[in-house]
């Protein structure tokens, strides 16, 4: 699964730490998601989408192998 978290953070000018604190996870979790090494739970994906005022589908994209 791909995501646009890093791009969305840049647009809002927030750090991984800022985002992590707001949604209640570690900075390492945000880093792992941005690198595609961690797929978030539904609840976490919804929290991220809400933070950026986007739909989940605007931030997370399934790849063919998913």
């Amino acid at each position: 699964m791909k995501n646009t978290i890093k791009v969305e953070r840049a647009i809002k000018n927030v750090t991984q730490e800022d985002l992590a604190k707001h949604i209640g996870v570690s900075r390492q979790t945000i880093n792992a998601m941005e690198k595609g090494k961690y797929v978030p739970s539904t609840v976490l994906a919804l929290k991220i989408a809400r933070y950026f005022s986007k739909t989940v589908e605007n931030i997370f994209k399934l790849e063919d192998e998913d």
Side-chain angles (χ1 to χ4, degrees), residues 1-26:
M1 180 182 328
K2 288 188 173 188
N3 68 70
T4 60
I5 296 171
K6 189 172 185 175
V7 172
E8 297 296 337
R9 282 194 311 100
I11 292 167
K12 280 191 90 158
N13 196 29
V14 296
T15 65
Q16 288 180 341
E17 186 69 28
D18 293 336
L19 177 58
K21 284 180 182 177
H22 186 81
I23 61 174
V25 297
S26 70

Side-chain angles (χ1 to χ4, degrees), residues 1 4-5 9-11 16 19-20 22-23 27 29 36 41 43-45 47 52 54 59 62 64:
M1 180 182 328
T4 60
I5 296 171
R9 282 194 311 100
I11 292 167
Q16 288 180 341
L19 177 58
H22 186 81
I23 61 174
R27 184 202 56 79
T29 299
S41 68
V43 171
L44 185 53
K47 286 181 178 182
F52 291 118
K54 304 267 179 151
I59 297 177
L62 285 176
D64 290 338

Side-chain angles (χ1 to χ4, degrees), residues 8 12 46-56 58-59:
E8 297 296 337
K12 280 191 90 158
L46 287 166
K47 286 181 178 182
I48 292 168
R50 180 183 290 165
Y51 180 82
F52 291 118
S53 300
K54 304 267 179 151
T55 65
V56 172
N58 285 121
I59 297 177

